[in-house]
């Protein structure tokens, strides 16, 4: 029978690669919590309506990328393609926005039916955050500075910040009309995708990756020249804080982002080390989204990063993560040792809290047992034979080089701590 494989574009994380994920997740979690963001975990499935109403009907995501299905009751459900809409929904459902300015972060899988390739998957993972109720540019700056700090904490270099300001929806509507006039005048240069967008979502033409369209796009009228005074002031406030903090950025007039709900500030962090999938993080302000989803008029801003792309970039920059190694590998010798091995292991765990101890759960010769101990990567083997069990001792042997010796289980804690801090060499000197 043929073996069943995972769904195309949906990948397993196996124990050998899990530490890379854990490092990124742990680093991001610690940093976000330290800035006052609390974790929120919405379900992976939502009513389809939620995404249609927030992301926008004529966006790529809603038009062609969602995993939508009817459940057994005939209700249309969707595997979340992103998490902002879910966070807003949850915040409203639990009245977390009333007279408060909460900050949330999340992580988890997202689903989009895209063409799988390096850096682009059908199940991928995001870490993101959202902050509500703060209309000024300070929170925009805080989020951007937090991200710059996160890249440093992850050991990442060569990530550039691009910024733009989308203005209000009224200003965007005005600009849209000008853009359509301009694109109509150059209609013969547009590709099929852009012609479709010209009718449905003309701003997205600016986002086109088609190299042939680039000269045309370069010369389009600029959105930033059409925004109102208040938005311009907001943007100037943001760039002033970034300037003061010494953070470099580039104003990219073509940055429009793929989701409809953005207003004012939008940003992306990009790298040239990941080929075509070079955007590692995107975000922006969405002052209209909460009310669009039926809540009180509440400003919001957030970002989301692609965990796979972050890990791939860390690889490209040779940022290794140490694989976790157990402290000790427990081997039983002789018949009596076998039955007593698990109670002994529990006693060791009681005596040395936090010890990472792997028990050799298979039979075989002493030689094969030690081979397995070596392969485990543990710093020491703990050996229990009949004599040790009777004495309440255990033999300890540094893996690699070093002599075996017996110690009391009570003394194990200090011995292991010494080995951890000084290496196994000193073991020869202990009695
Ligand atoms: P792209 O232009 O690359 O399609 P996007 O604008 O659709 O990205 P967002 O919706 O802003 O992406 O998602 C935020 C981040 O999530 C992206 O910057 C990227 O790092 C990551 N991401 C988005 N789609 C995928 C995917 N299919 N596979 C892996 N990562 C993804
Ligand atoms: Mg996309």
């Amino acid at each position: 029978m043929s073996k069943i494989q995972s769904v195309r574009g949906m990948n397993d994380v196996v124990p050998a690669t899990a530490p890379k994920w854990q490092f990124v997740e742990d680093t991001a979690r610690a940093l976000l919590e330290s800035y006052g963001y609390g974790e929120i975990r919405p379900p992976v499935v939502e009513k389809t309506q939620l995404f249609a109403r927030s992301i926008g009907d004529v966006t790529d995501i809603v038009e062609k990328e969602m995993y939508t299905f009817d459940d057994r009751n005939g209700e249309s459900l969707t595997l979340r393609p992103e998490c902002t809409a879910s966070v807003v929904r949850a915040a409203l459902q639990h009245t977390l926005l009333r007279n408060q300015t909460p900050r949330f972060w999340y992580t988890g899988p997202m689903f989009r039916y895209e063409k799988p390739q390096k850096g682009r998957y059908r199940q991928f993972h995001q870490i993101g955050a959202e902050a509500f109720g703060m209309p000024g540019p300070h929170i925009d700056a805080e989020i951007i500075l937090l991200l710059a700090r996160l890249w440093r904490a992850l050991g990442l270099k060569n990530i550039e910040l691009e910024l733009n300001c989308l203005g209000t929806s009224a200003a965007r509507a005005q600009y849209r009309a000008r853009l359509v006039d301009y694109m109509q005048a150059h209609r013969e240069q547009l590709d099929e995708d852009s012609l479709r967008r010209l009718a449905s979502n003309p701003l997205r033409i600016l986002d086109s990756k088609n190299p042939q369209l680039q000269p045309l796009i370069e010369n389009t009228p600029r959105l930033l020249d059409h925004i109102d005074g208040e938005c311009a002031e907001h943007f100037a406030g943001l760039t002033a804080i970034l300037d003061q903090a010494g953070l470099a950025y580039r104003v990219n007039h073509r940055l429009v982002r793929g989701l409809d709900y953005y207003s004012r500030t939008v940003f992306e962090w990009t790298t040239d080390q990941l080929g075509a999938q070079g955007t590692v993080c995107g975000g922006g302000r969405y002052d209209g989204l909460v009310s669009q989803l039926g809540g009180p008029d509440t400003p919001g801003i957030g970002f989301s990063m692609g965990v796979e792309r972050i890990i791939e970039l860390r690889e490209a920059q040779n940022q290794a993560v140490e694989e976790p190694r157990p402290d000790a590998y427990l081997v039983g010798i002789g018949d009596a040792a076998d039955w007593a091995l698990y109670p002994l292991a529990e006693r060791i765990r009681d005596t040395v809290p936090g010890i990472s101890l792997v028990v050799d759960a298979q039979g075989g010769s002493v030689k094969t047992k030690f081979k397995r101990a070596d392969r485990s990567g543990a710093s020491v083997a703990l050996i229990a034979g009949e004599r040790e069990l009777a004495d309440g001792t255990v033999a300890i042997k540094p893996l690699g080089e070093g002599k075996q010796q017996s110690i009391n289980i009570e003394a194990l804690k200090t011995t292991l701590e010494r080995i951890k801090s000084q290496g196994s060499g000193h073991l020869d000197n202990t009695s």
Side-chain angles (χ1 to χ4, degrees):
M1 251 203 295
S2 65
K3 285 192 208 120
I4 297 174
Q5 303 282 317
S6 68
V7 175
R8 191 163 121 83
M10 304 201 182
N11 302 311
D12 300 307
V13 175
V14 295
T17 48
K20 297 175 189 175
W21 285 76
Q22 289 160 352
F23 174 75
V24 173
E25 289 159 356
D26 294 349
T27 307
R29 174 185 300 118
L31 191 74
L32 285 158
E33 299 269 344
S34 80
Y35 275 70
Y37 287 76
E39 186 178 4
I40 187 159
R41 299 190 189 191
V44 171
V45 179
E46 297 272 3
K47 294 180 182 169
T48 302
Q49 264 283 301
L50 176 69
F51 303 114
R53 246 163 79 182
S54 58
I55 299 170
D57 282 335
V58 289
T59 55
D60 283 353
I61 293 181
V62 175
E63 269 186 343
K64 50 185 196 199
E65 294 175 0
M66 293 206 308
Y67 279 88
T68 298
F69 58 96
D70 284 353
D71 75 357
R72 288 172 195 275
N73 270 332
E75 182 167 32
S76 180
L77 303 179
T78 294
L79 299 185
R80 64 180 180 201
E82 58 105 47
C83 206
T84 302
S86 303
V87 172
V88 173
R89 196 247 336 116
L92 289 175
Q93 193 168 329
H94 302 280
T95 49
L96 303 177
L97 301 181
R98 196 178 291 158
N99 302 322
Q100 297 172 76
T101 55
R103 294 167 162 94
F104 303 112
W105 75 274
Y106 61 81
T107 182
M110 309 294 154
F111 303 85
R112 296 183 193 177
Y113 193 80
E114 300 197 69
K115 195 168 149 240
Q117 53 199 287
K118 185 177 182 308
R120 195 174 289 286
Y121 310 100
R122 289 182 174 171
Q123 174 178 297
F124 62 100
H125 296 76
Q126 292 185 330
I127 297 173
E130 321 288 347
F132 295 95
M134 292 169 271
H138 315 94
I139 185 69
D140 308 27
E142 181 193 89
I143 280 186
I144 287 170
L145 293 170
L146 178 159
L147 286 166
R149 185 174 295 279
L150 179 60
W151 311 144
R152 290 197 296 276
L154 292 172
L156 290 172
K157 298 182 190 73
N158 194 20
I159 303 185
E160 281 175 8
L161 171 61
E162 297 183 8
L163 286 180
N164 197 12
C165 181
L166 298 182
T168 57
S169 59
R172 249 191 341 272
Q174 222 182 35
Y175 171 73
R176 188 179 298 125
R178 272 209 65 190
L179 184 69
V180 170
D181 287 347
Y182 173 86
M183 292 294 174
Q184 286 288 11
H186 301 87
R187 217 185 145 80
E188 72 292 344
Q189 294 177 44
L190 296 179
D191 60 11
E192 195 187 323
D193 225 23
S194 301
L195 283 170
R196 188 169 53 85
R197 284 173 173 162
L198 187 58
S200 60
N201 194 355
L203 257 66
R204 290 281 284 147
I205 301 176
L206 301 178
D207 203 28
S208 168
K209 309 262 169 3
N210 182 349
Q212 275 158 1
L213 286 182
Q214 299 315 309
L216 180 71
I217 292 169
E218 276 304 324
N219 293 317
T220 49
R222 290 174 167 192
L223 179 51
L224 207 52
D225 298 333
H226 288 77
I227 66 174
D228 60 291
E230 241 181 90
C231 287
E233 210 174 292
H234 184 100
F235 194 61
L238 166 62
T239 53
I241 300 173
L242 298 182
D243 290 338
Q244 215 167 44
L247 188 74
Y249 57 87
R250 190 168 72 82
V251 177
N252 176 357
H253 295 281
R254 299 162 37 187
L255 185 63
V256 289
R257 312 271 305 120
L259 297 80
D260 270 2
Y261 52 58
Y262 287 109
S263 59
R264 295 199 171 177
T265 310
V266 287
F267 58 86
E268 278 187 0
W269 296 83
T270 60
T271 177
D272 58 9
Q273 283 181 276
L274 291 179
Q277 271 59 250
T279 307
V280 292
C281 178
R285 187 167 269 285
Y286 45 81
D287 291 343
L289 180 60
V290 177
S291 58
Q292 204 175 308
L293 288 175
D297 214 353
T298 311
I301 178 165
F303 68 81
S304 194
M305 70 189 75
V307 181
E308 283 84 355
R309 293 185 193 178
I310 299 280
I311 291 173
E312 283 157 17
L313 186 59
R314 279 180 47 82
E315 304 262 278
Q317 299 184 1
N318 298 315
Q319 298 283 345
V321 177
E322 249 184 76
E323 273 198 47
R325 288 153 30 106
D327 299 318
Y329 190 90
L330 180 63
V331 170
I333 311 269
D335 289 345
D338 274 348
W339 58 261
L341 209 52
Y342 287 91
L344 173 65
E346 292 307 311
R347 232 188 100 199
I348 294 173
R349 291 184 175 111
D350 288 340
T351 320
V352 190
I355 187 175
S356 97
L357 175 69
V358 178
V359 181
D360 185 76
Q362 307 156 70
S365 67
V366 175
K367 201 175 152 202
T368 35
K369 288 183 186 206
F370 272 96
K371 248 193 206 150
R372 287 196 294 263
D374 275 327
R375 223 182 303 139
S376 78
S379 343
V380 297
L382 298 176
I383 305 130
E386 274 168 60
R387 187 165 61 87
E388 283 82 11
L389 287 170
D391 293 354
T393 60
V394 68
I396 183 166
K397 183 183 184 314
L399 288 165
E401 306 235 314
K403 276 188 298 194
Q404 176 173 330
Q405 60 183 260
S406 273
I407 56 169
N408 282 319
I409 292 175
E410 278 62 40
L412 201 55
K413 185 165 185 268
T414 27
T415 309
L416 282 173
E417 275 166 5
R418 241 181 300 162
I419 291 177
K420 259 191 176 171
S421 59
Q422 301 165 13
S424 58
H426 81 97
L427 198 62
D428 297 342
N429 320 323
T430 51
S431 51

